[in-house]
Amino acid sequence: LSRQNIQTFVDDQLSRGDEISESLVNAIEASAISVILFSEGYASSRWCLDKLVKILEGKKEYAQIVIPVFYRVDPSDVRNQMGSFGILFSKLEERLKVNTEKLQSWRNALKEAASLSSFHSLNMR
């Protein structure tokens, strides 16, 4: 992407458990396109779920393009929080004792994102 002069923002500088930083929120809001990489461990990360909610807010407010990519996880498991994805989501819920409003926003965001047109790693070489 960088070779094609497409500015990218990768959030690999966040430490586990950190809150979403102001710079990440600004990057999400300023983006034209967001690519969400769902993996098996995605549901165990509170800040991944918080970012997902923020990305989908940007989709609604600014008509941003959101492209979900499912890597070794089934979109229906993400959509319905089932299978190994659902187990990790339940463990996160138990571990954090998050409020039901936040939990519901995560569930809604997962359902919405997994319902978008997407790419699935099992369907690609």
Side-chain angles (χ1 to χ4, degrees), residues 34-49:
S34 292
V35 177
I36 305 165
L37 180 60
F38 289 105
S39 63
E40 293 172 330
Y42 192 96
S44 65
S45 171
R46 179 185 62 170
W47 52 269
C48 281
L49 294 165

Side-chain angles (χ1 to χ4, degrees), residues 104-120:
Q104 192 58 48
S105 74
W106 290 346
R107 287 187 187 282
N108 293 342
L110 289 167
K111 185 173 186 170
E112 180 181 344
S115 297
L116 297 171
S117 179
S118 62
F119 296 94
H120 193 303

